[in-house]
Amino acid sequence: MGNEMSNGTSNENTYPVSSRGPADHDVRDQILHAATEHFSQYGYVKTTVSDLAKAIGFSKAYIYKFFPSKQVIGEMICANCLREIEAEVRAAIDEAERPPEKLRRMFKAIVEASVRLFFRDQKLYEIAASAASERWQAALAYEERMQQLLQDVLQQGRLSGDFERKTPLDETVMAIYLVIRPYLNPLLLQHSFDHASDASAQLSSLVLRSLSP
Amino acid sequence: MGNEMSNGTSNENTYPVSSRGPADHDVRDQILHAATEHFSQYGYVKTTVSDLAKAIGFSKAYIYKFFPSKQVIGEMICANCLREIEAEVRAAIDEAERPPEKLRRMFKAIVEASVRLFFRDQKLYEIAASAASERWQAALAYEERMQQLLQDVLQQGRLSGDFERKTPLDETVMAIYLVIRPYLNPLLLQHSFDHASDASAQLSSLVLRSLSP
């Protein structure tokens, strides 16, 4: 498992490859789509690139033309998954008018979208868990974007006079991020289910009390 | 593994047992002490009661006279471990004069004592993790006692005028408990190490801001 890269596949690198550009892009998407299906049925950890190649009907070498490793495929699937959560969270924030309500909806959307996306499909959860525990780039970038999103809402609330301004902004961002982290990070979320349904309301109320000017 | 209870050990129940009382108590302690040593060296999950019996030099039946299963031994070790954390947290709270400082020290002691006790010894961590994931009585009782401790500090702060009184007390307790939970629960704590050193200060400051009258 995971050693396929060295299994002498280099001689098979003669598969027809279409001209660079849109066509490559299509193949890449096709592989990603098929891999998502396959992982979600058989699991990420157990599947090798050989399994994947067989299932899709491509040669292993052909898949390696587009993706250097299974992790890169997993990382791209994971990035898509995290982008989906992020889009849902952004939409929830945009729906609200005032910063306090934006923050409340942000918490609610984070919990709901994470629970749905990570656990709708137990097998896809494996990818997200690998991403979080091995600190893949996709997971780190997601954490940063969520912190930035939080900072934007806090800044708006400071400008509007809804939130206090005495505490340094970066300290406030980090502390609130730590509060919501158990529901953002799939490794923590799996142990926070019992509390997830009430958590977003209780925690956002606490955070809003902490932000009152 | 775990099936030893049914392996026909009932016929061996003729080992000498001293009179009930202090002597039994001593043997129980002796077994617990030896089991703690053994688990911490070879791990809780992998060790069977047979292994334990061999290591201690008692028969399996003799151990079963005092403990009905490996889990009960694990549960008692775990309970001791959690009592140790609790004692440290109580001592930290008692050292402080005013409720806000009590809360700050409570957070600090929870993070420090948990990190030290659960991870000083990677193998003993297994027991604590089993307790948390299988919701052993020892772990549930510990959670309840920590919530009670938190409630006591909050009530003192409401009486002294340091903390706001508008929010229902049980809501405040639960929300603050959710904030500190990633550092109390060993399953969450293992994924919160990167943040543990700053977390107690940042989170207690946030919580204290939320409690200001």
Side-chain angles (χ1 to χ4, degrees), chain A residues 135 164 167 171 174-176 178-179 181-183 187-188 191-192 194-195 199 202-203 205-206 209-210, chain B residues 135 164 167 171 174-176 178-179 181-183 187-188 190-192 194-195 199 202-203 205-206 209-210:
Chain A
R135 303 187 68 64
E164 60 99 358
T167 317
E171 188 189 322
M174 203 51 210
I176 299 177
L178 286 179
V179 169
R181 190 172 165 266
Y183 308 90
L187 297 173
L188 292 152
H191 304 299
S192 304
D194 292 354
H195 301 284
Q202 289 176 337
L203 290 174
S205 295
L206 181 145
R209 287 194 294 276
S210 83
Chain B
R135 305 187 67 64
E164 60 99 358
T167 316
E171 188 189 322
M174 204 52 210
I176 299 177
L178 287 178
V179 169
R181 190 172 167 266
Y183 308 91
L187 298 172
L188 291 153
Q190 66 180 328
H191 304 298
S192 303
D194 293 354
H195 300 284
Q202 288 176 338
L203 290 175
S205 295
L206 181 145
R209 287 194 294 276
S210 82

Side-chain angles (χ1 to χ4, degrees), chain B:
Chain B
M1 241 193 272
N3 283 336
E4 308 97 322
M5 288 301 289
S6 53
N7 285 347
T9 54
S10 51
N11 292 338
E12 304 172 40
N13 270 350
T14 47
Y15 279 80
V17 180
S18 53
S19 61
R20 297 281 145 194
D24 274 17
H25 184 267
D26 286 351
V27 178
R28 208 167 265 125
D29 274 359
Q30 198 184 339
I31 295 174
L32 276 185
H33 186 78
T36 307
E37 289 288 304
H38 195 78
F39 288 152
S40 75
Q41 208 167 351
Y42 301 100
Y44 171 73
V45 176
K46 275 194 199 162
T47 300
T48 65
V49 173
S50 297
D51 298 335
L52 211 53
K54 238 174 276 172
I56 306 178
F58 285 162
S59 79
K60 220 167 68 177
Y62 192 58
I63 290 182
Y64 280 132
K65 266 203 149 10
F66 295 92
F67 298 101
S69 67
K70 184 179 87 168
Q71 182 178 323
V72 172
I73 302 178
E75 190 142 358
M76 292 196 69
I77 293 173
C78 180
N80 287 343
C81 182
L82 296 176
R83 286 269 178 204
E84 229 180 288
I85 296 179
E86 191 186 335
E88 203 170 320
V89 172
R90 281 184 190 277
I93 292 173
D94 288 345
E95 267 174 27
E97 198 69 37
R98 316 256 330 154
E101 187 58 22
K102 281 179 187 291
L103 197 91
R104 222 178 251 294
R105 297 214 185 179
M106 181 181 186
F107 271 48
K108 192 165 183 285
I110 284 173
V111 174
E112 288 178 0
S114 305
V115 167
R116 184 157 15 86
L117 268 166
F118 290 145
F119 298 95
R120 161 183 75 183
D121 202 318
Q122 281 292 327
K123 298 282 184 180
L124 277 184
Y125 167 77
E126 267 186 26
I127 304 181
S130 298
S133 69
E134 293 160 19
R135 305 187 67 64
W136 294 1
Q137 187 51 39
L140 296 178
Y142 171 69
E143 282 177 22
E144 265 176 38
R145 290 197 309 274
M146 295 307 275
Q147 283 173 16
Q148 186 57 52
L149 203 51
L150 181 58
Q151 181 169 324
D152 293 346
V153 173
L154 291 177
Q155 249 163 342
Q156 288 171 39
R158 285 180 175 217
L159 280 174
S160 66
D162 285 303
F163 299 157
E164 60 99 358
R165 283 173 245 191
K166 280 167 294 174
T167 316
L169 182 63
D170 56 348
E171 188 189 322
T172 313
V173 172
M174 204 52 210
I176 299 177
Y177 182 73
L178 287 178
V179 169
I180 196 66
R181 190 172 167 266
Y183 308 91
L184 266 174
N185 182 303
L187 298 172
L188 291 153
L189 186 59
Q190 66 180 328
H191 304 298
S192 303
F193 269 145
D194 293 354
H195 300 284
S197 56
D198 302 324
S200 79
Q202 288 176 338
L203 290 175
S204 57
S205 295
L206 181 145
V207 164
L208 286 175
R209 287 194 294 276
S210 82
L211 289 171
S212 83

Side-chain angles (χ1 to χ4, degrees), chain A residues 110-196:
Chain A
I110 284 173
V111 174
E112 287 177 0
S114 305
V115 167
R116 183 157 16 85
L117 269 165
F118 290 145
F119 299 94
R120 160 181 76 184
D121 201 319
Q122 281 292 328
K123 298 283 185 178
L124 276 185
Y125 167 78
E126 268 187 26
I127 303 180
S130 299
S133 68
E134 292 161 20
R135 303 187 68 64
W136 294 0
Q137 188 50 39
L140 296 178
Y142 171 69
E143 282 177 22
E144 265 177 37
R145 290 196 309 273
M146 295 306 277
Q147 284 173 16
Q148 186 58 52
L149 202 51
L150 180 58
Q151 181 169 324
D152 293 346
V153 173
L154 291 176
Q155 249 163 344
Q156 287 171 40
R158 284 178 175 218
L159 280 174
S160 67
D162 285 302
F163 299 157
E164 60 99 358
R165 284 172 244 193
K166 281 167 293 175
T167 317
L169 183 62
D170 56 349
E171 188 189 322
T172 312
V173 172
M174 203 51 210
I176 299 177
Y177 182 74
L178 286 179
V179 169
I180 196 66
R181 190 172 165 266
Y183 308 90
L184 266 174
N185 182 304
L187 297 173
L188 292 152
L189 186 58
Q190 66 179 328
H191 304 299
S192 304
F193 269 145
D194 292 354
H195 301 284

Side-chain angles (χ1 to χ4, degrees), chain A residues 7-203:
Chain A
N7 284 348
T9 55
S10 51
N11 292 337
E12 303 173 39
N13 270 350
T14 47
Y15 278 79
V17 181
S18 53
S19 60
R20 298 278 147 195
D24 274 16
H25 184 266
D26 286 350
V27 178
R28 208 167 265 125
D29 274 359
Q30 198 184 337
I31 294 174
L32 276 185
H33 185 78
T36 307
E37 289 289 305
H38 195 78
F39 287 152
S40 74
Q41 209 165 348
Y42 302 100
Y44 171 73
V45 176
K46 276 195 197 160
T47 301
T48 65
V49 173
S50 296
D51 298 335
L52 211 54
K54 240 175 272 173
I56 306 178
F58 286 162
S59 79
K60 220 166 70 177
Y62 191 58
I63 290 181
Y64 280 132
K65 267 202 149 10
F66 294 91
F67 297 100
S69 68
K70 185 178 87 167
Q71 183 179 322
V72 171
I73 301 177
E75 190 141 358
M76 292 195 69
I77 293 173
C78 179
N80 287 343
C81 181
L82 297 175
R83 286 269 179 207
E84 230 180 288
I85 296 179
E86 191 185 336
E88 203 169 320
V89 173
R90 282 184 190 277
I93 292 173
D94 288 346
E95 266 174 28
E97 197 69 37
R98 317 256 330 154
E101 187 57 24
K102 281 179 187 290
L103 196 90
R104 222 177 252 292
R105 298 216 184 179
M106 181 180 185
F107 270 49
K108 192 165 183 284
I110 284 173
V111 174
E112 287 177 0
S114 305
V115 167
R116 183 157 16 85
L117 269 165
F118 290 145
F119 299 94
R120 160 181 76 184
D121 201 319
Q122 281 292 328
K123 298 283 185 178
L124 276 185
Y125 167 78
E126 268 187 26
I127 303 180
S130 299
S133 68
E134 292 161 20
R135 303 187 68 64
W136 294 0
Q137 188 50 39
L140 296 178
Y142 171 69
E143 282 177 22
E144 265 177 37
R145 290 196 309 273
M146 295 306 277
Q147 284 173 16
Q148 186 58 52
L149 202 51
L150 180 58
Q151 181 169 324
D152 293 346
V153 173
L154 291 176
Q155 249 163 344
Q156 287 171 40
R158 284 178 175 218
L159 280 174
S160 67
D162 285 302
F163 299 157
E164 60 99 358
R165 284 172 244 193
K166 281 167 293 175
T167 317
L169 183 62
D170 56 349
E171 188 189 322
T172 312
V173 172
M174 203 51 210
I176 299 177
Y177 182 74
L178 286 179
V179 169
I180 196 66
R181 190 172 165 266
Y183 308 90
L184 266 174
N185 182 304
L187 297 173
L188 292 152
L189 186 58
Q190 66 179 328
H191 304 299
S192 304
F193 269 145
D194 292 354
H195 301 284
S197 57
D198 303 323
S200 79
Q202 289 176 337
L203 290 174

